[in-house]
Amino acid sequence: LFFTNDETKSSPAPAVTAKASPPIVKGKKPYITKLSSLDELKYFLQEDDRMAAIKFYAPWCKTCQRLGLQFTRLATELGDGIASRKMVEGQLRFAEVAYSPQTNHFVQDQLQVQAVPTLQLYHGFHKLWQRSGTKDTRDLRDTVLTLESKTNEELLILGEEQDDGILQLAIEDTMFDQPDFLNEEW
């Protein structure tokens, strides 16, 4: 795993169309799910049909810390949150994965995240967009605003076209890690 400052690795983003952003609910606190395993990521992506933005970061990385403030601001604007003691549903869901010795295998080996910070956008198990080494959330915001007009079927087709298959392969690899109780000898 390496840390990027000036270099960026990215996948192409769809063309941006100007669209007004939704109003921010006053006093809304963003709800950003913390993930630490492939199973948690799998359940997070399965539980809703909305797109999900995921930030991979290292707590000691200064670029990651600056990006984290912008990610939280974007989550306040577009994501789920809590306002007046009620859950407010946003356009998409937000999650973050902290790089640590405990998450090393999950982040590097299973998801093949090569640099922090990395932002990814998913619809279901399909990766729609990724940006490594980014210093702000502008590209993520523009991509979300571009994709928000698409139907679930259009997002599924786009996801199948652009997905690199890494998450699906990681999920398939772990399917056989569980004990097989049907083939046990009694």
Side-chain angles (χ1 to χ4, degrees):
L1 188 69
F2 68 91
F3 303 96
T4 59
N5 288 328
D6 296 326
E7 298 177 37
T8 59
K9 291 168 44 178
S10 64
S11 59
V16 177
T17 57
K19 204 168 199 183
S21 62
I24 297 176
V25 177
K26 189 168 181 133
K28 179 179 165 187
K29 296 201 183 335
Y31 183 74
I32 300 174
T33 304
K34 295 187 183 327
L35 305 173
S36 60
S37 71
L38 183 62
D39 285 336
E40 288 178 9
L41 175 62
K42 183 172 75 172
Y43 294 128
F44 175 76
L45 294 174
Q46 276 180 335
E47 69 186 13
D48 203 324
D49 282 343
R50 293 178 290 157
M51 291 184 288
I54 302 172
K55 173 183 75 168
F56 295 89
Y57 72 100
W60 59 87
C61 167
K62 295 294 183 194
T63 305
C64 299
Q65 292 169 6
R66 284 191 299 275
L67 179 67
L69 296 172
Q70 293 181 25
F71 191 75
T72 301
R73 212 171 302 132
L74 188 63
T76 303
E77 180 183 344
L78 300 176
D80 295 345
I82 299 171
S84 302
R85 296 188 212 174
K86 294 180 184 169
M87 188 68 166
V88 177
E89 191 171 279
Q91 292 173 269
L92 69 152
R93 296 172 317 127
F94 285 80
E96 60 186 14
V97 179
Y99 179 80
S100 68
Q102 293 79 21
T103 61
N104 178 29
H105 174 68
F106 161 56
V107 173
Q108 273 190 291
D109 300 336
Q110 292 179 317
L111 295 181
Q112 298 179 15
V113 173
Q114 302 298 318
V116 291
T118 293
L119 297 175
Q120 295 180 346
L121 182 67
Y122 285 90
H123 182 264
F125 290 133
H126 298 293
K127 190 187 310 174
L128 299 173
W129 176 89
Q130 174 175 328
R131 196 71 86 235
S132 293
T134 187
K135 295 178 184 173
D136 59 48
T137 58
R138 248 179 287 157
D139 290 343
L140 175 60
R141 184 180 194 289
D142 291 345
T143 303
V144 167
L145 293 177
T146 300
L147 295 175
E148 74 180 351
S149 63
K150 298 196 180 292
T151 64
N152 268 347
E153 292 78 28
E154 291 173 327
L155 286 173
L156 284 172
I157 292 168
L158 182 66
E160 289 173 0
E161 291 171 357
Q162 293 188 355
D163 189 20
D164 55 13
I166 292 172
L167 177 62
Q168 194 64 38
L169 184 63
I171 291 171
E172 289 172 5
D173 286 348
T174 60
M175 286 175 56
F176 303 107
D177 290 347
Q178 309 301 324
D180 188 4
F181 295 110
L182 296 176
N183 292 328
E184 270 188 24
E185 292 187 27
W186 296 90

